[in-house]
Amino acid sequence: MSDILIVDDERDIRELISDILEDEGFSTRLAGNSDDCMTALSDGLPALMILDIWLKDSTMDGIDILTKVKRETPEVPVVIISGHGNIEIAVAAIKQGAYDFIEKPFNIDQLLVVVRRAMEASRLRRENTELRRMDVANGELIGSSPPFKALKFQLEKVTKSNGRVLLRGAPGSGKETAARYLHSNSLRATGGFVSLNCASVSPDRMEHLLFGRETNGQQVEPGLLEQADKGTLYLDEVADMPLDTQARILRVLVDQKFQRVGGTAMIKVDVRIISSTSRDLAFEIAEGRFREELFHRLAVVPIDVPGLEERRADIPEIAAYLIGQFHSIDGLPERPVSDEAVAQLQTMLWPGNIRQLRNVIERVLILGPDHGAIQARELPVADPESDDEDRVVLSPAIARLPLREARELFEREYLLTQINRFGGNISRTASFVGMERSALHRKLKSLSVVTSNRAGGRVAIIEIPDEDEA
């Protein structure tokens, strides 16, 4: 997409334009009628088209070609030329999506100004496309815990297919990162990755964004489905999509074609749709807020994305990755995390998941010193109003218990937290808490907590209920 396609039924005109442009360093291709033009387009998209409105002995005139080009390849700018031009023709061409209009006989300087501007617009559009594709690199998955490995295994099973995937998980757990990973490792990786957060779009704008629109007096506006052609469309928080739009999306999934809002022509697309939700779609279906048939179309492969509290063993690795990202992108200090800070991060509550961890790391890097390891005192504490960092705030449930029961409950929760923190690794847990491995096993058994090996070396933690609860 680096040349200019010149379409004019007058040989002298098209060759004159070609000579002028080649003298300026552009490469050109020539076509004398609509059939030659369509053949040239199928051979490869140009960076720009210069198109005559009136084409003798052709099955299509310039406006017909313009309409087809803007419908199928809207990224190609088109400059219309005509010796019979008037304001009505110019307006009609602009309405159909032409970049500009030049009347014959044209001024060479004017032609070059318009061509350079159109080529610059084409270049910027290609660069934006490339940046969107490069942005897929954010689909790097970080971790090594058993829940993370299970997630990655599931994702890799579906990367090379075109099967639709529904990612389920809490907000901030990394569903979009998983979607980007699917795209960047798929056969569609050279296509675009287009993302839409359904929860952030008002219902009246949803269809315009997805399907595009054609309005009298305005240029054609391609929607996200067209932008994702040959690539992937990611629908985040799909449960927030309006019911009417759900019906239209369902038809697209069946037919792979649609009409723009206000348009009549059918637009064919080849798009893989990945969706996500943090809601219970079965409940949404029962409440009449989500179409069951759409659920079955989207959830060909449902995959659960674990929250950060299920992946505490991954926190040091994720934190180091985020620090590197903030350093390379924003120039923030690249500081290691002290062992005490790592321990605190792994025992904190993370209702906001990875998004919350990212915010914590960014805040520490902005407000903290430029050098030295990140210390535990720089991290948020459970009781931010307390000045005594060593003070343990008891919950009302524990405070009402006798000392022996409270101690047992604390030990159980403390050891379960540490085991979860180290990804189920009993040896590492024992080393951290300062116990022999055999002593830790005895302590867990005395607290009615046993461990059992599962396939793949994973450790399952089973809490044995009290006799009165059994």
Side-chain angles (χ1 to χ4, degrees):
M1 225 175 122
S2 60
D3 58 5
I4 298 175
L5 177 59
I6 303 166
V7 185
D8 196 300
D9 60 350
E10 297 183 56
R11 178 177 175 179
D12 291 344
I13 296 295
R14 62 179 182 265
E15 290 183 352
L16 172 62
I17 296 174
S18 176
D19 290 341
I20 293 171
L21 295 179
E22 289 184 351
D23 286 344
E24 295 296 319
F26 298 107
S27 59
T28 62
R29 285 184 287 160
L30 308 181
N33 55 54
S34 59
D35 292 340
D36 291 345
C37 174
M38 292 298 106
T39 300
L41 288 172
S42 64
D43 290 341
L45 292 180
L48 169 67
M49 280 185 66
I50 297 178
L51 177 62
D52 188 11
I53 284 185
W54 309 110
L55 298 174
K56 296 178 182 177
D57 303 322
S58 291
T59 55
M60 303 168 66
D61 63 19
I63 294 294
D64 294 333
I65 294 174
L66 171 66
T67 302
K68 182 176 178 64
V69 168
K70 299 314 292 183
R71 181 173 66 243
E72 298 179 358
T73 55
E75 69 273 19
V76 177
V78 180
V79 174
I80 291 290
I81 59 173
S82 175
H84 309 281
N86 54 44
I87 190 62
E88 287 79 12
I89 293 177
V91 170
I94 298 299
K95 283 182 179 180
Q96 293 299 325
Y99 178 81
D100 209 337
F101 177 92
I102 299 177
E103 185 177 358
K104 298 178 186 175
F106 51 80
N107 178 283
I108 292 177
D109 291 336
Q110 179 193 12
L111 172 68
L112 291 175
V113 166
V114 171
V115 166
R116 289 193 180 103
R117 286 177 179 170
M119 290 291 283
E120 178 67 9
S122 177
R123 182 187 66 80
L124 291 174
R125 189 175 289 110
R126 291 197 306 274
E127 287 183 358
N128 287 336
T129 300
E130 290 304 315
L131 286 173
R132 285 198 300 269
R133 292 174 182 171
M134 288 171 61
D135 191 42
V136 176
N138 291 337
E140 186 174 357
L141 296 178
I142 306 297
S144 54
S145 67
F148 171 81
K149 289 179 179 178
L151 169 64
K152 193 169 182 181
F153 175 78
Q154 289 181 291
L155 294 175
E156 288 176 346
K157 293 283 285 185
V158 295
T159 53
K160 303 306 179 187
S161 77
N162 277 321
R164 301 184 196 105
V165 177
L166 174 65
L167 299 167
R168 302 179 298 200
S173 57
K175 298 187 291 297
E176 181 166 352
T177 302
R180 290 179 181 275
Y181 179 86
L182 282 174
H183 172 78
S184 61
N185 289 276
S186 73
L187 301 177
R188 296 174 174 268
T190 56
F193 178 91
V194 179
S195 176
L196 173 65
N197 186 322
C198 300
S200 65
V201 179
S202 60
D204 59 320
R205 292 186 60 239
M206 181 71 71
E207 293 200 3
H208 290 165
L209 278 175
L210 280 171
F211 304 104
R213 61 181 171 183
E214 301 176 18
T215 309
N216 290 334
Q218 296 185 10
Q219 297 183 14
V220 170
E221 297 178 19
L224 298 181
L225 277 164
E226 288 177 76
Q227 295 176 34
D229 190 31
K230 303 298 189 297
T232 302
L233 175 62
Y234 173 56
L235 299 176
D236 190 18
E237 295 299 346
V238 71
D240 288 290
M241 182 179 289
L243 281 169
D244 290 344
T245 308
Q246 290 179 32
R248 288 199 66 181
I249 281 289
L250 180 61
R251 289 197 295 271
V252 174
L253 297 180
V254 174
D255 302 329
Q256 289 283 292
K257 58 185 180 181
F258 61 92
Q259 292 177 325
R260 296 191 188 103
V261 176
T264 56
M266 296 301 297
I267 313 298
K268 290 189 66 67
V269 289
D270 175 16
V271 176
R272 182 187 192 182
I273 292 185
I274 298 174
S275 54
S276 73
T277 183
S278 58
R279 296 193 198 174
D280 180 355
L281 287 186
F283 177 77
E284 297 298 315
I285 291 169
E287 293 294 307
R289 292 190 292 263
F290 200 80
R291 294 181 180 273
E292 185 174 8
E293 59 271 36
L294 178 59
F295 168 76
H296 292 303
R297 292 281 181 179
L298 293 176
V300 175
V301 183
I303 295 179
D304 292 322
V305 179
L308 189 58
E309 292 183 14
E310 299 175 65
R311 301 175 50 195
R312 292 183 184 274
D314 294 330
I315 288 178
E317 195 174 347
I318 297 173
Y321 173 79
L322 292 173
I323 290 169
Q325 289 287 297
F326 284 125
H327 175 70
S328 61
I329 296 174
D330 300 321
L332 294 177
E334 192 168 20
R335 302 170 59 196
V337 185
S338 69
D339 291 343
E340 293 78 10
V342 166
Q344 182 162 325
L345 287 172
Q346 288 183 308
T347 54
M348 289 171 59
L349 296 178
W350 295 103
N353 294 290
I354 296 175
R355 185 179 299 136
Q356 180 185 355
L357 175 61
R358 180 185 179 87
N359 292 341
V360 168
I361 295 296
E362 184 177 15
R363 181 166 65 249
V364 167
L365 295 178
I366 290 173
L367 299 179
D370 292 339
H371 305 286
I374 295 173
Q375 301 300 320
R377 63 178 177 273
E378 299 179 62
L379 301 173
V381 294
D383 182 14
E385 297 180 358
S386 174
D387 294 327
D388 186 355
E389 295 182 1
D390 296 326
R391 178 170 177 257
V392 177
V393 180
L394 297 179
S395 70
I398 292 181
R400 290 195 298 266
L401 295 175
L403 177 61
R404 182 183 63 81
E405 293 180 22
R407 183 173 61 240
E408 288 183 358
L409 180 59
F410 168 78
E411 287 180 340
R412 179 188 290 114
E413 293 304 318
Y414 172 78
L415 291 176
L416 284 173
T417 297
Q418 298 300 344
I419 291 170
N420 189 17
R421 171 188 167 193
F422 291 108
N425 189 309
I426 297 297
S427 296
R428 291 178 62 194
T429 303
S431 174
F432 177 81
V433 301
M435 299 176 67
E436 295 292 335
R437 180 186 172 96
S438 57
L440 177 58
H441 275 296
R442 287 195 298 273
K443 171 59 71 174
L444 291 172
K445 186 175 181 180
S446 72
L447 296 172
S448 301
V449 178
V450 298
T451 61
S452 62
N453 290 324
R454 285 183 176 175
R458 293 182 61 183
V459 177
I461 308 299
I462 305 170
E463 296 190 53
I464 302 176
D466 295 335
E467 290 183 1
D468 1 342
E469 296 177 353

